[in-house]
Amino acid sequence: MHRSIWLVWLTIVLVACQPIAVPAPSAPAATLDEWSEGTPGVGDPIFPLLGNGGYDVQHYTIELSVDVMRNEIMGATSIRAEATLPLRSFTLDLLGLTVEKVTVNGAPAHFTRDGQELTIVPIAPLAASVLFTTVVTYAGTPTPIRDAHLDFVEQGWNRRDDVIFVVSEPQGAMTWYPSNNHPTDKATYTLRITVDEPYVVAANGVLREEIDHGARRTYTWEMAQPMASYLTTVVIGEFVRITEATSLGVEIRHYFPPQDADRLTQIFATTDEMIAFYGDLIGEYPFDAYGAAVMPFPLGFALETQTLPIFGLDLATEGVNAHELAHHWFGNAVTLASWDQIWLNEGFATYLQRLWLEHKLGREFLESGMRRYYEMLSAMKTPAPGMVDAQNLFSISVYERGAWVLHALRLRVGDELFRQFLRTYYARFKDGVASTEDFIALANEVSKQNLTGFLRSWIYDETLPPIPEVSQSFPASD
Ligand code: TRP
Ligand code: ZN
């Protein structure tokens, strides 16, 4: 099981439980040896080459023309960034494709390629804290990443039949656009994609403009809140767009295969109610829009791509929708600080998915479900959720013992403080990243107790800790 994705198995269990089916001037004031080359990675413990040091991206504009039948892309990505070091050169992550030209602040720049690193040398160095714009012009057929450790998916740009979809977690964004490909550098995005009729393009955020050129059409999508690169997506195919009434001002738009649209509209009809439920519990939904992009074929996974999660036809269920929606608070708005802390994404989404079920079915339903997972975990001898490596990033321990970290915290401090913890954690780290240490420090702060040892044993100890006694001062409500 540990080589595959736990969510698939989780869904099976859940289904059984469910009753419901500016160009800035460069300022070469520093002496020569003060200029740096940036760094070709940000030091992620699992993926050391992901991301780059020396600059901070603010906005990406990805403009591509896509030939769906040939699976070819052609265009440019423009990246507005701030130098955080004086830079003589810097790197972007891009794998495959042919780079035709690079400019920095409008002037042609020298570039070289080596694996996933695209190294750019501007004609004049960039002083620390200047804003600069890099435009990379490129073309080719994207090749998704096959990683033996994550064998349930090809990460990045995928084409199947006449559908294109992008599922990148953790590394795949670099298969279709150059970026600072690490969750610590979140940015806003404009995605402008041109395709042949009758294909439809969906992407992250809000559809701002559609331009009809006769046989071709350009779709401009805007993601106005910060987004990690692994959450960017584009979906192209013959989809129907279904909009749902919303009570909260969040635009709900789903993209479904026409032949399944009626059935899927029913399944996803609770989306508005779920957004309201999580909003009440945690804090206001962080983005302008939400909706599912369901593929016309099974995939064995779903992914929380920001505002437009992707579902294989086999996983288009209410339970998985709750999971992907919950990621929008935890994962997307509050993002993991490095990939070895993946439990912060998956543990939260898994537990919050259960809280939706608790909301529907009551506390005892939740407790008996959690006990079943506890027994399963204790019979399995899995690594602790905070001790993962590339092989078990998306394993049962990350999802289920990750969820148990939160349940254990709730049992220990009581419902009231647990709820306050969720709200404070979200409010404090929204639009940025959080680490396990941030999580523990905040639990201590909100509870006014020292929970460090307790939480560390749930997160890091090989042995599964005992189920905590329910807090006496805060009896379980419901
Ligand atoms: N984060 C996904 C979830 O909701 C699982 C996942 C990890 C995934 N990597 C992926 C899905 C790559 C699709 C592609 O649990
Ligand atoms: Zn998840």
Side-chain angles (χ1 to χ4, degrees), residues 5 7 153 169 301-304 323-324 327 346 394 399:
I5 183 181
L7 185 59
V153 67
E169 188 183 17
F301 58 72
L303 179 64
E304 66 269 22
H323 180 103
E324 306 311 335
H327 269 306
E346 299 306 343
F394 299 101
Y399 284 77

Side-chain angles (χ1 to χ4, degrees), residues 51 54 57 72 102-103 121 140 160 187 189 217 249 378-379 411 416 419 441:
V57 178
E72 282 174 6
V102 177
T103 64
V121 188
R160 187 175 306 179
Y189 284 74
R217 194 178 266 267
S378 52
L411 294 177
E416 226 7 82
R419 189 183 156 94

Side-chain angles (χ1 to χ4, degrees), residues 309-365:
I310 301 215
F311 296 76
L313 192 56
D314 52 337
L315 289 196
T317 67
E318 183 179 335
V320 178
N321 191 32
H323 180 103
E324 306 311 335
L325 175 62
H327 269 306
H328 283 68
W329 282 264
F330 300 114
N332 301 10
V334 180
T335 303
L336 75 183
S338 60
W339 286 108
D340 57 318
Q341 308 186 55
I342 183 67
W343 83 270
L344 288 168
N345 279 15
E346 299 306 343
F348 270 80
T350 302
Y351 191 58
L352 285 160
Q353 174 181 1
R354 301 277 154 70
L355 295 191
W356 168 252
L357 291 178
E358 178 186 7
H359 169 67
K360 293 287 206 191
L361 303 170
R363 177 78 184 239
E364 190 35 51
F365 184 84

